[in-house]
Amino acid sequence: MKNTVPVEVSARHVHLTQEQIEILFGKGHELTVKKMLSQPGQFAAEERVTIVGPKRNLERVSVLGPARKAGQVELSMTDCFSIGIKDAPVRESGVLDGTPGVTLKTDMGEVTLDQGVIVAKRHIHMTEADAADFGCKDKDIVSVKVETNGRSLTFDDVVVRVRDDFALAMHIDTDEANAGSISGDVTGTVIK
Ligand SMILES: [Zn+2]
């Protein structure tokens, strides 16, 4: 049975609807691919936005493409404290009911999301074949041990997400990465 996963660190970013993209970057605008990400079809865009917080702003925040059905802002807890958003919950991507809203702006426009600010719940993307190899299924909660120089740790509460258009990778945010001195090519061991 397989038990190791590549660990990838997601920095703060936003997902936008096509309508929001056009408000922020101009009518008919489409996101420009800067770099393809590990998940098939997903990319970091050239476009950047400013997140307007109650206490201060976060400038030049990455936009990830392609456009989605709902805007979503993924921040670390450190980001949330820094800009004054107090009540962002730890959530899986796309589960936005009851999350705080926020305003995004560029030189061209401004959009206020009624909801959508989350601290992403750490997760592992798997295909059906991966899930069979690991003996896991969608929505399982597992632990992942990561060994680094002097800050090894085990992440509990890691949700497994299975879809055939995923590629095998664990995603953590920058706070979680810093807690474990995780950077570069790091592999975790899944513990069930
Ligand atoms: Zn992910």
Side-chain angles (χ1 to χ4, degrees):
M1 192 143 292
K2 207 169 162 183
N3 69 351
T4 59
V5 288
V7 178
E8 298 178 350
V9 183
S10 298
R12 70 177 77 104
H13 63 270
V14 307
H15 298 279
L16 301 171
T17 65
Q18 182 57 33
E19 188 187 0
Q20 291 163 346
I21 290 165
E22 296 194 24
I23 294 168
L24 292 167
F25 301 103
K27 187 127 194 76
H29 188 88
E30 292 192 12
L31 293 176
T32 312
V33 178
K34 179 182 181 194
K35 182 173 164 246
M36 296 309 292
L37 301 174
S38 68
Q39 297 308 307
Q42 303 295 304
F43 61 91
E46 297 282 0
E47 288 79 358
R48 303 279 176 143
V49 298
T50 296
I51 298 174
V52 181
K55 256 165 64 179
R56 64 175 72 84
N57 297 349
L58 280 171
E59 313 270 346
R60 293 185 51 74
V61 176
S62 291
V63 177
L64 300 195
R68 289 205 179 176
K69 288 201 188 90
Q72 177 169 306
V73 175
E74 298 185 35
L75 300 176
S76 70
M77 283 194 179
T78 299
D79 290 331
C80 291
F81 290 132
S82 160
I83 69 173
I85 293 180
K86 293 196 182 79
D87 47 354
V90 175
R91 286 282 180 89
E92 284 187 59
S93 184
V95 184
L96 304 180
D97 282 353
T99 60
V102 75
T103 295
L104 308 175
K105 70 174 186 184
T106 62
D107 292 342
M108 296 186 71
E110 187 173 302
V111 167
T112 297
L113 280 63
D114 295 332
Q115 59 177 28
V117 181
I118 62 169
V119 175
K121 186 175 177 70
R122 49 193 176 233
H123 56 277
I124 306 173
H125 295 274
M126 289 187 185
T127 62
E128 294 284 355
D130 294 324
D133 287 345
F134 281 80
C136 285
K137 60 184 189 308
D138 192 41
K139 297 189 167 56
D140 277 359
I141 303 291
V142 299
S143 297
V144 178
K145 183 174 175 58
V146 181
E147 298 192 55
T148 59
N149 191 10
R151 271 195 152 183
S152 297
L153 54 72
T154 300
F155 292 106
D156 294 334
D157 298 320
V158 181
V159 63
V160 173
R161 296 172 54 200
V162 179
R163 232 167 65 188
D164 266 336
D165 61 344
F166 282 161
L168 182 65
M170 177 179 181
H171 285 164
I172 56 176
D173 74 12
T174 48
D175 281 353
E176 293 168 318
N178 290 340
S181 290
I182 294 164
S183 67
D185 285 332
V186 173
T187 298
T189 304
V190 177
I191 302 162
K192 286 187 291 176

